[in-house]
Amino acid sequence: YYFDSVTLTEVLPGGALDRGAAPGSEGGVVSGGGLFLTYDSRDSIFFPMAGSFHQLSALGFGPGLGSDFNFGRFCLDARRYLRFSPSRVLALQSLVLLQTGSPPFWRMGMLGGEDGLRGYYLGRYRDRDMVYVQAEYRWAPVIWRIGLAAFAGLGQVADRPGEFRFGGLKYSYGAGLRFVFSRVQKLNLRLDYAF
């Protein structure tokens, strides 16, 4: 079950929310439920070096469940971790989000942020549907508790699956430092610089 209630306290005058051009521009309640199917064989949830994570979800939101918005949300998140040595791993991820109906703007697919296509502000590109693939090569530790990472990704948002176009792909790439706080629990502090 999923629930959130959003109240907008301030919007940009003349912007899409001020004009009411986006679903949810007056706030509202999102309420719904569904199923998650998860397979997780990672050796660590914080800094995996081997294994995989796959999650398929199907959620429905509608007035019968107390929602102001009527939409369906289907998401497949697939991740694989390929270990080359005790300190080197290639992390791969692909994500497909498809939605039906009219989700509010804050529940649309959003490229960017710390998880998908670093280098873009979260939500800089948003629409009902989203796809992205990304890879990260991690080498940690390199020396003492300091590690390195390099990453790249491609992604796109669209109003409908048939509107995804190769020419509209957004990309990001960059590198980062990792500081290993706990070798046992594999807790890391990361500092990334992305383009």
Side-chain angles (χ1 to χ4, degrees):
Y1 178 73
Y2 181 89
F3 175 88
D4 73 10
S5 178
V6 172
T7 302
L8 303 178
T9 58
E10 185 177 341
V11 297
L12 180 69
L17 298 179
D18 187 42
R19 294 190 318 267
S25 59
E26 296 180 4
V29 171
V30 172
S31 177
L35 299 172
F36 284 80
L37 180 61
T38 303
Y39 172 79
D40 190 350
S41 66
R42 296 174 294 177
D43 60 343
S44 167
I45 61 171
F46 298 115
F47 198 75
M49 298 289 287
S52 60
F53 172 87
H54 306 292
Q55 186 172 75
L56 176 65
S57 62
L59 300 164
F61 303 86
L65 297 169
S67 182
D68 294 331
F69 307 94
N70 192 11
F71 66 101
R73 183 179 180 96
F74 307 93
C75 187
L76 175 62
D77 184 353
R79 305 174 193 194
R80 182 82 171 110
Y81 303 90
L82 306 171
R83 182 180 227 153
F84 297 109
S85 76
S87 62
R88 298 180 189 191
V89 66
L90 177 64
L92 304 168
Q93 180 189 22
S94 59
L95 186 135
V96 177
L97 170 67
L98 302 173
Q99 299 189 95
T100 61
S102 297
F105 73 90
W106 68 87
R107 286 286 122 213
M108 290 186 171
M110 295 185 277
L111 285 178
E114 66 185 52
D115 294 322
L117 266 61
R118 287 165 275 183
Y120 294 104
Y121 290 107
L122 179 62
R124 167 64 179 91
Y125 295 100
R126 72 174 71 203
D127 212 325
R128 187 162 50 176
D129 300 331
M130 174 178 68
V131 295
Y132 67 75
V133 294
Q134 57 186 359
E136 179 176 278
Y137 184 78
R138 302 173 183 160
W139 184 13
V142 174
I143 186 169
W144 187 54
R145 292 178 177 252
I146 306 295
L148 300 173
F151 53 87
L154 291 169
Q156 189 175 116
V157 294
D159 187 49
R160 304 202 183 289
E163 294 178 6
F164 287 115
R165 299 285 181 258
F166 187 74
L169 285 172
K170 308 295 184 256
Y171 65 90
S172 73
Y173 60 94
L177 293 173
R178 303 292 182 263
F179 179 80
V180 182
F181 276 116
S182 169
R183 291 182 178 152
V184 174
Q185 294 179 337
K186 296 185 179 179
L187 293 175
N188 290 268
L189 174 68
R190 75 181 193 188
L191 176 65
D192 291 335
Y193 191 80
F195 299 91

